[in-house]
PDB file of all heavy atoms in Angstrom:
ATOM      1  N   ARG A 137      -0.886  -8.244  -3.221  1.00  0.00           N
ATOM      2  CA  ARG A 137      -1.137  -7.914  -1.821  1.00  0.00           C
ATOM      3  C   ARG A 137       0.152  -7.746  -1.026  1.00  0.00           C
ATOM      4  O   ARG A 137       0.271  -6.834  -0.208  1.00  0.00           O
ATOM      5  CB  ARG A 137      -1.999  -9.001  -1.175  1.00  0.00           C
ATOM      6  CG  ARG A 137      -3.436  -9.027  -1.655  1.00  0.00           C
ATOM      7  CD  ARG A 137      -4.148 -10.272  -1.167  1.00  0.00           C
ATOM      8  NE  ARG A 137      -5.548 -10.271  -1.562  1.00  0.00           N
ATOM      9  CZ  ARG A 137      -6.570 -10.131  -0.713  1.00  0.00           C
ATOM     10  NH1 ARG A 137      -6.336 -10.014   0.575  1.00  0.00           N
ATOM     11  NH2 ARG A 137      -7.815 -10.131  -1.144  1.00  0.00           N
ATOM     12  N   ASP A 138       1.096  -8.639  -1.231  1.00  0.00           N
ATOM     13  CA  ASP A 138       2.335  -8.570  -0.455  1.00  0.00           C
ATOM     14  C   ASP A 138       3.104  -7.293  -0.759  1.00  0.00           C
ATOM     15  O   ASP A 138       3.644  -6.643   0.151  1.00  0.00           O
ATOM     16  CB  ASP A 138       3.208  -9.795  -0.738  1.00  0.00           C
ATOM     17  CG  ASP A 138       2.618 -11.084  -0.179  1.00  0.00           C
ATOM     18  OD1 ASP A 138       1.726 -10.999   0.692  1.00  0.00           O
ATOM     19  OD2 ASP A 138       3.045 -12.168  -0.618  1.00  0.00           O
ATOM     20  N   ALA A 139       3.160  -6.925  -2.037  1.00  0.00           N
ATOM     21  CA  ALA A 139       3.860  -5.695  -2.403  1.00  0.00           C
ATOM     22  C   ALA A 139       3.136  -4.475  -1.856  1.00  0.00           C
ATOM     23  O   ALA A 139       3.770  -3.504  -1.414  1.00  0.00           O
ATOM     24  CB  ALA A 139       3.993  -5.599  -3.921  1.00  0.00           C
ATOM     25  N   LEU A 140       1.793  -4.505  -1.870  1.00  0.00           N
ATOM     26  CA  LEU A 140       1.033  -3.385  -1.310  1.00  0.00           C
ATOM     27  C   LEU A 140       1.274  -3.270   0.190  1.00  0.00           C
ATOM     28  O   LEU A 140       1.406  -2.154   0.724  1.00  0.00           O
ATOM     29  CB  LEU A 140      -0.458  -3.568  -1.592  1.00  0.00           C
ATOM     30  CG  LEU A 140      -1.376  -2.455  -1.064  1.00  0.00           C
ATOM     31  CD1 LEU A 140      -1.037  -1.123  -1.720  1.00  0.00           C
ATOM     32  CD2 LEU A 140      -2.845  -2.810  -1.287  1.00  0.00           C
ATOM     33  N   ARG A 141       1.342  -4.401   0.874  1.00  0.00           N
ATOM     34  CA  ARG A 141       1.589  -4.360   2.322  1.00  0.00           C
ATOM     35  C   ARG A 141       2.968  -3.768   2.627  1.00  0.00           C
ATOM     36  O   ARG A 141       3.110  -2.938   3.531  1.00  0.00           O
ATOM     37  CB  ARG A 141       1.478  -5.776   2.900  1.00  0.00           C
ATOM     38  CG  ARG A 141       1.664  -5.841   4.409  1.00  0.00           C
ATOM     39  CD  ARG A 141       0.574  -5.070   5.121  1.00  0.00           C
ATOM     40  NE  ARG A 141       0.721  -5.166   6.570  1.00  0.00           N
ATOM     41  CZ  ARG A 141      -0.043  -4.502   7.439  1.00  0.00           C
ATOM     42  NH1 ARG A 141      -1.004  -3.700   6.995  1.00  0.00           N
ATOM     43  NH2 ARG A 141       0.136  -4.634   8.744  1.00  0.00           N
ATOM     44  N   ALA A 142       3.971  -4.169   1.858  1.00  0.00           N
ATOM     45  CA  ALA A 142       5.309  -3.617   2.065  1.00  0.00           C
ATOM     46  C   ALA A 142       5.325  -2.120   1.800  1.00  0.00           C
ATOM     47  O   ALA A 142       5.949  -1.340   2.544  1.00  0.00           O
ATOM     48  CB  ALA A 142       6.307  -4.342   1.165  1.00  0.00           C
ATOM     49  N   TRP A 143       4.624  -1.709   0.735  1.00  0.00           N
ATOM     50  CA  TRP A 143       4.527  -0.275   0.406  1.00  0.00           C
ATOM     51  C   TRP A 143       3.846   0.481   1.545  1.00  0.00           C
ATOM     52  O   TRP A 143       4.313   1.544   1.975  1.00  0.00           O
ATOM     53  CB  TRP A 143       3.735  -0.120  -0.887  1.00  0.00           C
ATOM     54  CG  TRP A 143       3.574   1.263  -1.412  1.00  0.00           C
ATOM     55  CD1 TRP A 143       4.313   1.861  -2.380  1.00  0.00           C
ATOM     56  CD2 TRP A 143       2.580   2.235  -1.009  1.00  0.00           C
ATOM     57  NE1 TRP A 143       3.856   3.145  -2.618  1.00  0.00           N
ATOM     58  CE2 TRP A 143       2.797   3.394  -1.783  1.00  0.00           C
ATOM     59  CE3 TRP A 143       1.551   2.229  -0.086  1.00  0.00           C
ATOM     60  CZ2 TRP A 143       2.010   4.535  -1.648  1.00  0.00           C
ATOM     61  CZ3 TRP A 143       0.771   3.370   0.056  1.00  0.00           C
ATOM     62  CH2 TRP A 143       1.001   4.502  -0.713  1.00  0.00           C
ATOM     63  N   ALA A 144       2.726  -0.058   2.041  1.00  0.00           N
ATOM     64  CA  ALA A 144       1.954   0.620   3.086  1.00  0.00           C
ATOM     65  C   ALA A 144       2.745   0.738   4.379  1.00  0.00           C
ATOM     66  O   ALA A 144       2.671   1.755   5.073  1.00  0.00           O
ATOM     67  CB  ALA A 144       0.642  -0.114   3.330  1.00  0.00           C
ATOM     68  N   LEU A 145       3.510  -0.283   4.715  1.00  0.00           N
ATOM     69  CA  LEU A 145       4.326  -0.219   5.932  1.00  0.00           C
ATOM     70  C   LEU A 145       5.408   0.852   5.807  1.00  0.00           C
ATOM     71  O   LEU A 145       5.704   1.559   6.778  1.00  0.00           O
ATOM     72  CB  LEU A 145       4.954  -1.586   6.211  1.00  0.00           C
ATOM     73  CG  LEU A 145       3.984  -2.663   6.718  1.00  0.00           C
ATOM     74  CD1 LEU A 145       4.648  -4.028   6.687  1.00  0.00           C
ATOM     75  CD2 LEU A 145       3.504  -2.330   8.138  1.00  0.00           C
ATOM     76  N   ALA A 146       6.000   0.985   4.625  1.00  0.00           N
ATOM     77  CA  ALA A 146       7.002   2.036   4.420  1.00  0.00           C
ATOM     78  C   ALA A 146       6.360   3.414   4.458  1.00  0.00           C
ATOM     79  O   ALA A 146       6.900   4.351   5.063  1.00  0.00           O
ATOM     80  CB  ALA A 146       7.713   1.813   3.087  1.00  0.00           C
ATOM     81  N   TRP A 147       5.200   3.556   3.817  1.00  0.00           N
ATOM     82  CA  TRP A 147       4.460   4.824   3.842  1.00  0.00           C
ATOM     83  C   TRP A 147       4.100   5.207   5.268  1.00  0.00           C
ATOM     84  O   TRP A 147       4.213   6.372   5.675  1.00  0.00           O
ATOM     85  CB  TRP A 147       3.204   4.685   2.996  1.00  0.00           C
ATOM     86  CG  TRP A 147       2.180   5.769   3.183  1.00  0.00           C
ATOM     87  CD1 TRP A 147       2.124   6.962   2.526  1.00  0.00           C
ATOM     88  CD2 TRP A 147       1.079   5.773   4.100  1.00  0.00           C
ATOM     89  NE1 TRP A 147       1.062   7.709   2.970  1.00  0.00           N
ATOM     90  CE2 TRP A 147       0.395   6.998   3.942  1.00  0.00           C
ATOM     91  CE3 TRP A 147       0.604   4.855   5.036  1.00  0.00           C
ATOM     92  CZ2 TRP A 147      -0.729   7.329   4.698  1.00  0.00           C
ATOM     93  CZ3 TRP A 147      -0.524   5.168   5.785  1.00  0.00           C
ATOM     94  CH2 TRP A 147      -1.172   6.393   5.606  1.00  0.00           C
ATOM     95  N   ASP A 148       3.661   4.242   6.059  1.00  0.00           N
ATOM     96  CA  ASP A 148       3.175   4.486   7.412  1.00  0.00           C
ATOM     97  C   ASP A 148       4.290   4.874   8.380  1.00  0.00           C
ATOM     98  O   ASP A 148       4.068   5.638   9.319  1.00  0.00           O
ATOM     99  CB  ASP A 148       2.459   3.228   7.915  1.00  0.00           C
ATOM    100  CG  ASP A 148       1.903   3.401   9.309  1.00  0.00           C
ATOM    101  OD1 ASP A 148       1.017   4.264   9.495  1.00  0.00           O
ATOM    102  OD2 ASP A 148       2.342   2.673  10.225  1.00  0.00           O
ATOM    103  N   ASP A 149       5.469   4.335   8.186  1.00  0.00           N
ATOM    104  CA  ASP A 149       6.637   4.663   9.015  1.00  0.00           C
ATOM    105  C   ASP A 149       6.386   4.418  10.505  1.00  0.00           C
ATOM    106  O   ASP A 149       6.772   5.220  11.356  1.00  0.00           O
ATOM    107  CB  ASP A 149       7.061   6.116   8.776  1.00  0.00           C
ATOM    108  CG  ASP A 149       8.450   6.426   9.331  1.00  0.00           C
ATOM    109  OD1 ASP A 149       9.267   5.487   9.446  1.00  0.00           O
ATOM    110  OD2 ASP A 149       8.713   7.599   9.670  1.00  0.00           O
ATOM    111  N   GLY A 150       5.685   3.321  10.807  1.00  0.00           N
ATOM    112  CA  GLY A 150       5.514   2.928  12.189  1.00  0.00           C
ATOM    113  C   GLY A 150       4.370   3.572  12.938  1.00  0.00           C
ATOM    114  O   GLY A 150       4.237   3.390  14.155  1.00  0.00           O
ATOM    115  N   ASP A 151       3.499   4.316  12.260  1.00  0.00           N
ATOM    116  CA  ASP A 151       2.398   4.997  12.947  1.00  0.00           C
ATOM    117  C   ASP A 151       1.210   4.079  13.247  1.00  0.00           C
ATOM    118  O   ASP A 151       0.271   4.477  13.939  1.00  0.00           O
ATOM    119  CB  ASP A 151       1.907   6.196  12.127  1.00  0.00           C
ATOM    120  CG  ASP A 151       2.896   7.353  12.149  1.00  0.00           C
ATOM    121  OD1 ASP A 151       3.754   7.388  13.046  1.00  0.00           O
ATOM    122  OD2 ASP A 151       2.805   8.222  11.262  1.00  0.00           O
ATOM    123  N   GLY A 152       1.212   2.883  12.679  1.00  0.00           N
ATOM    124  CA  GLY A 152       0.144   1.935  12.967  1.00  0.00           C
ATOM    125  C   GLY A 152      -1.075   2.040  12.068  1.00  0.00           C
ATOM    126  O   GLY A 152      -2.129   1.489  12.390  1.00  0.00           O
ATOM    127  N   ASN A 153      -0.929   2.715  10.924  1.00  0.00           N
ATOM    128  CA  ASN A 153      -2.083   2.913  10.036  1.00  0.00           C
ATOM    129  C   ASN A 153      -1.886   2.300   8.653  1.00  0.00           C
ATOM    130  O   ASN A 153      -2.549   2.699   7.695  1.00  0.00           O
ATOM    131  CB  ASN A 153      -2.374   4.408   9.892  1.00  0.00           C
ATOM    132  CG  ASN A 153      -2.740   5.048  11.220  1.00  0.00           C
ATOM    133  OD1 ASN A 153      -3.559   4.501  11.958  1.00  0.00           O
ATOM    134  ND2 ASN A 153      -2.143   6.179  11.529  1.00  0.00           N
ATOM    135  N   ALA A 154      -0.999   1.321   8.544  1.00  0.00           N
ATOM    136  CA  ALA A 154      -0.729   0.708   7.242  1.00  0.00           C
ATOM    137  C   ALA A 154      -1.950   0.004   6.663  1.00  0.00           C
ATOM    138  O   ALA A 154      -2.060  -0.149   5.440  1.00  0.00           O
ATOM    139  CB  ALA A 154       0.444  -0.267   7.355  1.00  0.00           C
ATOM    140  N   ASP A 155      -2.885  -0.412   7.523  1.00  0.00           N
ATOM    141  CA  ASP A 155      -4.085  -1.100   7.037  1.00  0.00           C
ATOM    142  C   ASP A 155      -5.016  -0.177   6.253  1.00  0.00           C
ATOM    143  O   ASP A 155      -6.003  -0.648   5.681  1.00  0.00           O
ATOM    144  CB  ASP A 155      -4.860  -1.714   8.204  1.00  0.00           C
ATOM    145  CG  ASP A 155      -4.139  -2.898   8.815  1.00  0.00           C
ATOM    146  OD1 ASP A 155      -3.253  -3.457   8.135  1.00  0.00           O
ATOM    147  OD2 ASP A 155      -4.444  -3.261   9.973  1.00  0.00           O
ATOM    148  N   LEU A 156      -4.711   1.110   6.213  1.00  0.00           N
ATOM    149  CA  LEU A 156      -5.515   2.042   5.425  1.00  0.00           C
ATOM    150  C   LEU A 156      -5.566   1.610   3.961  1.00  0.00           C
ATOM    151  O   LEU A 156      -6.589   1.751   3.297  1.00  0.00           O
ATOM    152  CB  LEU A 156      -4.925   3.455   5.547  1.00  0.00           C
ATOM    153  CG  LEU A 156      -5.603   4.567   4.766  1.00  0.00           C
ATOM    154  CD1 LEU A 156      -7.017   4.801   5.276  1.00  0.00           C
ATOM    155  CD2 LEU A 156      -4.792   5.867   4.865  1.00  0.00           C
ATOM    156  N   PHE A 157      -4.458   1.083   3.450  1.00  0.00           N
ATOM    157  CA  PHE A 157      -4.368   0.697   2.048  1.00  0.00           C
ATOM    158  C   PHE A 157      -4.699  -0.784   1.909  1.00  0.00           C
ATOM    159  O   PHE A 157      -3.887  -1.647   2.213  1.00  0.00           O
ATOM    160  CB  PHE A 157      -2.974   1.016   1.496  1.00  0.00           C
ATOM    161  CG  PHE A 157      -2.724   2.490   1.399  1.00  0.00           C
ATOM    162  CD1 PHE A 157      -2.174   3.188   2.468  1.00  0.00           C
ATOM    163  CD2 PHE A 157      -3.065   3.198   0.259  1.00  0.00           C
ATOM    164  CE1 PHE A 157      -1.962   4.557   2.395  1.00  0.00           C
ATOM    165  CE2 PHE A 157      -2.855   4.569   0.180  1.00  0.00           C
ATOM    166  CZ  PHE A 157      -2.310   5.247   1.250  1.00  0.00           C
ATOM    167  N   ARG A 158      -5.899  -1.046   1.445  1.00  0.00           N
ATOM    168  CA  ARG A 158      -6.425  -2.404   1.365  1.00  0.00           C
ATOM    169  C   ARG A 158      -6.259  -2.989  -0.040  1.00  0.00           C
ATOM    170  O   ARG A 158      -6.193  -2.248  -1.022  1.00  0.00           O
ATOM    171  CB  ARG A 158      -7.901  -2.408   1.770  1.00  0.00           C
ATOM    172  CG  ARG A 158      -8.097  -2.005   3.223  1.00  0.00           C
ATOM    173  CD  ARG A 158      -9.549  -2.134   3.643  1.00  0.00           C
ATOM    174  NE  ARG A 158      -9.697  -1.896   5.078  1.00  0.00           N
ATOM    175  CZ  ARG A 158     -10.860  -1.954   5.715  1.00  0.00           C
ATOM    176  NH1 ARG A 158     -11.970  -2.242   5.050  1.00  0.00           N
ATOM    177  NH2 ARG A 158     -10.907  -1.733   7.015  1.00  0.00           N
ATOM    178  N   PRO A 159      -6.213  -4.317  -0.138  1.00  0.00           N
ATOM    179  CA  PRO A 159      -6.017  -4.963  -1.444  1.00  0.00           C
ATOM    180  C   PRO A 159      -7.065  -4.601  -2.488  1.00  0.00           C
ATOM    181  O   PRO A 159      -6.790  -4.680  -3.690  1.00  0.00           O
ATOM    182  CB  PRO A 159      -6.066  -6.458  -1.104  1.00  0.00           C
ATOM    183  CG  PRO A 159      -5.651  -6.537   0.331  1.00  0.00           C
ATOM    184  CD  PRO A 159      -6.192  -5.291   0.974  1.00  0.00           C
ATOM    185  N   GLU A 160      -8.260  -4.201  -2.059  1.00  0.00           N
ATOM    186  CA  GLU A 160      -9.299  -3.817  -3.017  1.00  0.00           C
ATOM    187  C   GLU A 160      -8.840  -2.692  -3.943  1.00  0.00           C
ATOM    188  O   GLU A 160      -9.337  -2.576  -5.075  1.00  0.00           O
ATOM    189  CB  GLU A 160     -10.568  -3.399  -2.275  1.00  0.00           C
ATOM    190  CG  GLU A 160     -11.338  -4.542  -1.637  1.00  0.00           C
ATOM    191  CD  GLU A 160     -10.788  -4.965  -0.281  1.00  0.00           C
ATOM    192  OE1 GLU A 160      -9.739  -4.429   0.155  1.00  0.00           O
ATOM    193  OE2 GLU A 160     -11.404  -5.852   0.333  1.00  0.00           O
ATOM    194  N   LEU A 161      -7.896  -1.861  -3.499  1.00  0.00           N
ATOM    195  CA  LEU A 161      -7.390  -0.786  -4.352  1.00  0.00           C
ATOM    196  C   LEU A 161      -6.729  -1.325  -5.616  1.00  0.00           C
ATOM    197  O   LEU A 161      -6.708  -0.659  -6.653  1.00  0.00           O
ATOM    198  CB  LEU A 161      -6.387   0.074  -3.577  1.00  0.00           C
ATOM    199  CG  LEU A 161      -6.947   1.061  -2.556  1.00  0.00           C
ATOM    200  CD1 LEU A 161      -5.816   1.700  -1.780  1.00  0.00           C
ATOM    201  CD2 LEU A 161      -7.803   2.121  -3.234  1.00  0.00           C
ATOM    202  N   LEU A 162      -6.172  -2.528  -5.526  1.00  0.00           N
ATOM    203  CA  LEU A 162      -5.479  -3.109  -6.669  1.00  0.00           C
ATOM    204  C   LEU A 162      -6.432  -3.434  -7.816  1.00  0.00           C
ATOM    205  O   LEU A 162      -5.997  -3.614  -8.951  1.00  0.00           O
ATOM    206  CB  LEU A 162      -4.731  -4.369  -6.237  1.00  0.00           C
ATOM    207  CG  LEU A 162      -3.665  -4.174  -5.147  1.00  0.00           C
ATOM    208  CD1 LEU A 162      -3.089  -5.513  -4.728  1.00  0.00           C
ATOM    209  CD2 LEU A 162      -2.566  -3.235  -5.606  1.00  0.00           C
ATOM    210  N   ASP A 163      -7.722  -3.512  -7.512  1.00  0.00           N
ATOM    211  CA  ASP A 163      -8.721  -3.815  -8.537  1.00  0.00           C
ATOM    212  C   ASP A 163      -9.283  -2.573  -9.212  1.00  0.00           C
ATOM    213  O   ASP A 163     -10.109  -2.682 -10.129  1.00  0.00           O
ATOM    214  CB  ASP A 163      -9.881  -4.615  -7.920  1.00  0.00           C
ATOM    215  CG  ASP A 163      -9.431  -5.952  -7.367  1.00  0.00           C
ATOM    216  OD1 ASP A 163      -8.518  -6.555  -7.956  1.00  0.00           O
ATOM    217  OD2 ASP A 163      -9.987  -6.381  -6.331  1.00  0.00           O
ATOM    218  N   ASP A 164      -8.853  -1.393  -8.778  1.00  0.00           N
ATOM    219  CA  ASP A 164      -9.358  -0.143  -9.337  1.00  0.00           C
ATOM    220  C   ASP A 164      -8.506   0.245 -10.544  1.00  0.00           C
ATOM    221  O   ASP A 164      -7.324   0.568 -10.390  1.00  0.00           O
ATOM    222  CB  ASP A 164      -9.305   0.948  -8.276  1.00  0.00           C
ATOM    223  CG  ASP A 164      -9.852   2.274  -8.778  1.00  0.00           C
ATOM    224  OD1 ASP A 164     -10.284   2.347  -9.958  1.00  0.00           O
ATOM    225  OD2 ASP A 164      -9.841   3.248  -8.006  1.00  0.00           O
ATOM    226  N   PRO A 165      -9.051   0.236 -11.758  1.00  0.00           N
ATOM    227  CA  PRO A 165      -8.233   0.526 -12.941  1.00  0.00           C
ATOM    228  C   PRO A 165      -7.713   1.954 -13.002  1.00  0.00           C
ATOM    229  O   PRO A 165      -6.751   2.226 -13.741  1.00  0.00           O
ATOM    230  CB  PRO A 165      -9.184   0.232 -14.106  1.00  0.00           C
ATOM    231  CG  PRO A 165     -10.559   0.382 -13.532  1.00  0.00           C
ATOM    232  CD  PRO A 165     -10.446  -0.083 -12.113  1.00  0.00           C
ATOM    233  N   ALA A 166      -8.313   2.872 -12.245  1.00  0.00           N
ATOM    234  CA  ALA A 166      -7.863   4.266 -12.267  1.00  0.00           C
ATOM    235  C   ALA A 166      -6.762   4.546 -11.248  1.00  0.00           C
ATOM    236  O   ALA A 166      -6.205   5.647 -11.240  1.00  0.00           O
ATOM    237  CB  ALA A 166      -9.041   5.203 -12.013  1.00  0.00           C
ATOM    238  N   THR A 167      -6.457   3.580 -10.393  1.00  0.00           N
ATOM    239  CA  THR A 167      -5.491   3.784  -9.318  1.00  0.00           C
ATOM    240  C   THR A 167      -4.223   2.986  -9.576  1.00  0.00           C
ATOM    241  O   THR A 167      -4.281   1.783  -9.816  1.00  0.00           O
ATOM    242  CB  THR A 167      -6.085   3.359  -7.960  1.00  0.00           C
ATOM    243  OG1 THR A 167      -7.235   4.158  -7.687  1.00  0.00           O
ATOM    244  CG2 THR A 167      -5.072   3.533  -6.842  1.00  0.00           C
ATOM    245  N   SER A 168      -3.081   3.677  -9.510  1.00  0.00           N
ATOM    246  CA  SER A 168      -1.776   3.018  -9.616  1.00  0.00           C
ATOM    247  C   SER A 168      -0.958   3.366  -8.375  1.00  0.00           C
ATOM    248  O   SER A 168      -0.675   4.545  -8.132  1.00  0.00           O
ATOM    249  CB  SER A 168      -1.025   3.481 -10.871  1.00  0.00           C
ATOM    250  OG  SER A 168      -1.742   3.178 -12.048  1.00  0.00           O
ATOM    251  N   VAL A 169      -0.620   2.352  -7.600  1.00  0.00           N
ATOM    252  CA  VAL A 169       0.257   2.558  -6.451  1.00  0.00           C
ATOM    253  C   VAL A 169       1.685   2.408  -6.950  1.00  0.00           C
ATOM    254  O   VAL A 169       2.091   1.334  -7.420  1.00  0.00           O
ATOM    255  CB  VAL A 169      -0.053   1.545  -5.330  1.00  0.00           C
ATOM    256  CG1 VAL A 169       0.889   1.774  -4.145  1.00  0.00           C
ATOM    257  CG2 VAL A 169      -1.501   1.665  -4.884  1.00  0.00           C
ATOM    258  N   LEU A 170       2.451   3.490  -6.891  1.00  0.00           N
ATOM    259  CA  LEU A 170       3.797   3.534  -7.442  1.00  0.00           C
ATOM    260  C   LEU A 170       4.824   3.281  -6.346  1.00  0.00           C
ATOM    261  O   LEU A 170       4.723   3.847  -5.257  1.00  0.00           O
ATOM    262  CB  LEU A 170       4.055   4.901  -8.079  1.00  0.00           C
ATOM    263  CG  LEU A 170       3.023   5.386  -9.101  1.00  0.00           C
ATOM    264  CD1 LEU A 170       3.357   6.804  -9.550  1.00  0.00           C
ATOM    265  CD2 LEU A 170       2.963   4.438 -10.289  1.00  0.00           C
ATOM    266  N   VAL A 171       5.816   2.470  -6.647  1.00  0.00           N
ATOM    267  CA  VAL A 171       6.847   2.153  -5.666  1.00  0.00           C
ATOM    268  C   VAL A 171       8.226   2.363  -6.281  1.00  0.00           C
ATOM    269  O   VAL A 171       8.484   1.962  -7.417  1.00  0.00           O
ATOM    270  CB  VAL A 171       6.701   0.698  -5.144  1.00  0.00           C
ATOM    271  CG1 VAL A 171       6.768  -0.319  -6.278  1.00  0.00           C
ATOM    272  CG2 VAL A 171       7.722   0.389  -4.063  1.00  0.00           C
ATOM    273  N   GLY A 172       9.098   3.019  -5.534  1.00  0.00           N
ATOM    274  CA  GLY A 172      10.501   3.143  -5.893  1.00  0.00           C
ATOM    275  C   GLY A 172      11.317   2.246  -4.984  1.00  0.00           C
ATOM    276  O   GLY A 172      11.135   2.276  -3.757  1.00  0.00           O
ATOM    277  N   ARG A 173      12.176   1.441  -5.571  1.00  0.00           N
ATOM    278  CA  ARG A 173      12.938   0.469  -4.782  1.00  0.00           C
ATOM    279  C   ARG A 173      14.430   0.782  -4.819  1.00  0.00           C
ATOM    280  O   ARG A 173      14.969   1.209  -5.844  1.00  0.00           O
ATOM    281  CB  ARG A 173      12.699  -0.949  -5.299  1.00  0.00           C
ATOM    282  CG  ARG A 173      11.247  -1.399  -5.212  1.00  0.00           C
ATOM    283  CD  ARG A 173      11.109  -2.870  -5.564  1.00  0.00           C
ATOM    284  NE  ARG A 173       9.714  -3.287  -5.605  1.00  0.00           N
ATOM    285  CZ  ARG A 173       9.000  -3.614  -4.538  1.00  0.00           C
ATOM    286  NH1 ARG A 173       9.576  -3.593  -3.334  1.00  0.00           N
ATOM    287  NH2 ARG A 173       7.728  -3.982  -4.649  1.00  0.00           N
ATOM    288  N   SER A 174      15.074   0.536  -3.700  1.00  0.00           N
ATOM    289  CA  SER A 174      16.520   0.676  -3.605  1.00  0.00           C
ATOM    290  C   SER A 174      17.187  -0.513  -4.296  1.00  0.00           C
ATOM    291  O   SER A 174      16.519  -1.465  -4.730  1.00  0.00           O
ATOM    292  CB  SER A 174      16.935   0.746  -2.137  1.00  0.00           C
ATOM    293  OG  SER A 174      16.514  -0.425  -1.455  1.00  0.00           O
ATOM    294  N   ALA A 175      18.508  -0.474  -4.378  1.00  0.00           N
ATOM    295  CA  ALA A 175      19.242  -1.532  -5.071  1.00  0.00           C
ATOM    296  C   ALA A 175      19.029  -2.896  -4.432  1.00  0.00           C
ATOM    297  O   ALA A 175      19.119  -3.925  -5.109  1.00  0.00           O
ATOM    298  CB  ALA A 175      20.727  -1.181  -5.101  1.00  0.00           C
TER     299      ALA A 175
END
């Protein structure tokens, strides 16, 4: 959940819609949320 929240906040870029991506997505075996991290 914490990693998804951080991802969603970066995706949202301050528009106020980060809650679109809910933790239930993590339980979907067909869905992979991919994250690229800086150093």
Side-chain angles (χ1 to χ4, degrees):
R137 289 170 177 249
D138 291 343
L140 180 62
R141 182 63 178 175
W143 182 98
L145 287 168
W147 166 87
D148 181 63
D149 194 26
D151 288 341
N153 298 313
D155 290 341
L156 178 65
F157 292 89
R158 296 185 173 180
E160 288 82 356
L161 284 173
L162 300 175
D163 298 326
D164 182 0
T167 299
S168 300
V169 179
L170 308 175
V171 58
R173 299 188 185 278
S174 59

